[in-house]
Amino acid sequence: MNRSARSRCGGPATAWGQKDGPDKASLAAALIKLDPEDGEQIVEYFKTHALLTREKALLQASVRDQKKLLVENGKLKKDIEQLRAQLQEKQRRRTVRALHSPPTPGPAPMTPANQSPSPAGATAALPANPPPPSSRDQRERQSRRRRAHPTSDSLSLGAEPRVDVSRLDLRVGRILSVRRHPLAEALSVQEVDMGEDTPRKVVSKLGGKIGLEELQGSLAVLLCNVKACKMRGVVSQARLLCCTTTDDVTEPLVPPTGSTPGDRVTFLNYPGDPDRELQSKQRVWELLQPDLQVDCRGVANYKGCRFEVKGKGLCRAPSVTNCIIR
């Protein structure tokens, strides 16, 4: 290699050495000395690789910082949500306290300066001890206050209860025995196994066209959350559901085959737990009974929703169709 080529090759090496230090300068000179033709390209490759390595390190450090910032932002958002919930709870409590606290009396009216009545006139105009408000006035004020500021308790208590068939506790029972009522020829008394510790006594009006001996041992559907009442001296603890036609034909409603005493009759479109006991004042049974019917196929239904024992089938009338259930 001639002197001009060496000066050209030494040029980048000298510049690299001045920029990056004596160690790298000597390394560049050694590479050019070993390979005069490609030494300069090798040096440029090492420079580019060093720059890329430095940029990669900086990028990795920025990614780590970004992840750390994301974690800190998540924590800050969580803290902000907690503080917001606490603030809303405090505002709600303050509102409830303001609604329940008695109103503060307003300031006494001021007498104008140019109208200064004499003490005698003031005594005559205003009594020294005004009479206390009557109880009627107090009740009117309280009622106006409740109408102006209804509380959550009054709203929850004033809500209309639902009136649908889910409030009826309908269950399957097995008639253990049946006999005529001792004081009424049209009534009969049944002992019914409801899957409880002791059988229930039920008084029913079945009519004279049913053989009572045919009912013994059969399954039936009973309304179990009616209030126990005396019927001609005998306490009835449930109501036997019967299908009745316009021709005064009466048949007990029959649960599906495979039912056992205590199985509950449910309605797909009306889920929910029944009342513990139907209150006579609410007249729930009287309101629901017109919608309890047997369709043209003999299937019992409430507003088109069928009587069903889950996993076992539907409740039906033995032979009648298109009639009511009572």
Side-chain angles (χ1 to χ4, degrees), residues 16 30 142 165 172 192-193 204 222 244 261 267 278 291 301 319-320:
W16 192 22
Q142 290 176 359
V165 75
V172 176
V192 185
D193 177 16
S204 306
L222 293 99
T244 304
F267 300 82
L278 297 177
D291 294 317
N301 67 87
S319 62
V320 298

Side-chain angles (χ1 to χ4, degrees), residues 61-77:
S62 64
V63 170
R64 286 194 298 269
D65 294 339
Q66 186 177 7
K67 289 183 179 180
K68 188 182 297 183
L69 289 175
L70 290 175
V71 173
E72 292 178 354
N73 287 340
K75 292 181 179 179
L76 289 175
K77 288 182 179 179

Side-chain angles (χ1 to χ4, degrees), residues 170-285:
L170 300 177
R171 283 184 272 166
V172 176
R174 185 180 297 277
I175 300 175
L176 302 178
S177 64
V178 57
R179 58 184 174 85
R180 292 291 180 186
H181 194 289
L183 301 178
E185 185 67 21
L187 299 179
S188 62
V189 182
Q190 299 93 34
E191 295 282 340
V192 185
D193 177 16
M194 302 300 304
E196 300 169 335
D197 296 336
T198 57
R200 294 197 185 195
K201 188 176 292 186
V202 182
V203 180
S204 306
K205 184 179 181 181
L206 298 176
K209 298 182 180 181
I210 297 180
L212 298 183
E213 63 277 359
E214 298 176 2
L215 298 178
Q216 188 166 347
S218 63
L219 293 175
V221 179
L222 293 99
L223 177 61
C224 298
N225 58 344
V226 293
K227 189 175 182 179
C229 61
K230 278 189 177 183
M231 299 183 66
R232 301 295 297 271
V234 180
V235 177
S236 180
Q237 299 171 310
R239 183 185 185 95
L240 181 67
L241 295 192
C242 297
C243 313
T244 304
T245 65
T246 55
D247 299 333
D248 200 21
V249 177
T250 302
E251 294 179 351
L253 189 63
V254 179
T257 305
S259 301
T260 57
D263 287 347
R264 190 183 167 202
V265 178
T266 58
F267 300 82
L268 181 62
N269 297 340
Y270 300 93
D273 296 328
D275 293 5
R276 186 169 184 177
E277 184 179 274
L278 297 177
Q279 301 297 322
S280 57
K281 292 182 179 180
Q282 297 180 3
R283 301 178 62 83
V284 176
W285 170 254

Side-chain angles (χ1 to χ4, degrees), residues 11 23-24 99 114 166 186 233 282 292 323:
D23 294 336
K24 292 184 179 180
L99 291 176
N114 56 358
S166 64
Q282 297 180 3
L292 303 177
C323 59

Side-chain angles (χ1 to χ4, degrees), residues 284-295:
V284 176
W285 170 254
E286 288 77 6
L287 293 173
L288 298 177
Q289 194 269 330
D291 294 317
L292 303 177
Q293 299 179 357
V294 176
D295 61 15

